[in-house]
Amino acid sequence: MGRGSRVRRQQETREAILAAAYTLFCSKGYGGASLAEIAESAGFTKGAVYGLFRSKEDLFLALAKARTTELVAEVGEILGRSASRQQRLDALAGWVRRRADAEREWFLVNAEFSILAARRPHLLPDRRAAAANTVADVMNVLQIDSLGDGAGVNENVGRVVLALADGLALQLALDEAVDIAHIFTDALTRLLGSGPAEGRDRDGRS
């Protein structure tokens, strides 16, 4: 078997394991799903999983990165197809509503892992790095070509938008009547429309 074939097989194995992990994490929660179950569901041995991922935590972080990359790409594509600011906001609202319904269990397991990481110091560096990458992705999406005015989009805005999305996902899980699409886009409009306070730097100091 040539190197190209081995790389392709390894990638196919990785994708199958990630797909199985997504299904089991969503159905059983992070704590309820085991590596043995994930391996069996994907059609591989537990050793095959360890050949690609150091631990269940490592597997989850890889899955979270892949999911975030996919979701951010979707948002960028949707916003890129819309001409005016209002059209972009309307398109974003529709996307948020669809994804909130489809990804409910994923949002919950993601929140579960974040809480776990906050209580386990050895998980914090990787989780912090993943969050920082997501904030950077959010900032890129909100730049002038998409929704923001450019000057008002910084790391603080990125973190607020990420926290808003995570918080609303939890609210929806507790109360299905919450219209998170409307709340999210309304808050985003107000946030981006206000811009940084005059006389303050990017960290909010006078």
Side-chain angles (χ1 to χ4, degrees):
M1 184 182 295
R3 183 177 182 277
S5 297
R6 288 197 300 272
V7 171
R8 184 168 60 253
R9 283 286 300 274
Q10 186 179 57
Q11 182 61 29
E12 290 172 352
T13 300
R14 188 177 190 275
E15 290 175 357
I17 291 172
L18 288 174
Y22 176 80
T23 299
L24 284 170
F25 282 142
C26 287
S27 63
K28 292 191 168 187
Y30 177 80
S34 70
L35 279 181
E37 290 176 307
I38 292 170
E40 181 180 0
S41 178
F44 300 101
T45 65
K46 191 174 179 181
V49 177
Y50 276 119
L52 294 169
F53 305 99
R54 299 188 306 271
S55 62
K56 186 169 80 166
E57 292 94 340
D58 187 45
L59 171 57
F60 184 86
L61 286 167
L63 176 61
K65 180 179 180 180
R67 297 297 301 155
T68 299
T69 298
E70 179 182 337
L71 295 178
V72 169
E74 282 186 12
V75 172
E77 182 179 350
I78 289 171
L79 296 179
R81 293 199 301 262
S82 305
S84 69
R85 180 186 176 91
Q86 188 57 51
Q87 287 175 330
R88 291 193 290 269
L89 287 169
D90 290 342
L92 182 59
W95 180 87
V96 169
R97 186 175 292 109
R98 291 191 302 273
R99 274 301 182 182
D101 291 336
E103 303 279 342
R104 178 181 183 276
E105 298 303 324
W106 172 248
F107 286 130
L108 287 177
V109 74
N110 201 45
E112 178 188 352
F113 185 82
S114 292
I115 294 171
L116 177 68
R119 292 176 172 171
R120 296 187 179 178
H122 71 282
L123 293 179
L124 281 176
D126 286 339
R127 194 55 170 170
R128 284 172 179 163
N133 289 335
T134 302
V135 168
D137 287 337
V138 170
M139 288 166 60
N140 288 334
V141 169
L142 297 180
Q143 290 302 329
I144 189 168
D145 290 338
S146 295
L147 286 174
D149 60 7
V153 178
N154 59 20
E155 183 179 346
N156 293 337
V157 173
R159 288 189 179 278
V160 169
V161 172
L162 180 60
L164 176 63
D166 288 344
L168 286 175
L170 285 176
Q171 287 191 35
L172 181 65
L174 296 171
D175 183 358
E176 294 182 356
V178 175
D179 187 353
I180 70 167
H182 170 73
I183 296 171
F184 183 80
T185 51
D186 178 64
L188 191 60
T189 301
R190 295 172 186 275
L191 178 65
L192 295 176
S194 62
E198 183 177 356
R200 294 178 180 270
D201 63 15
R202 68 186 300 272
D203 293 321
R205 295 187 295 266
S206 297

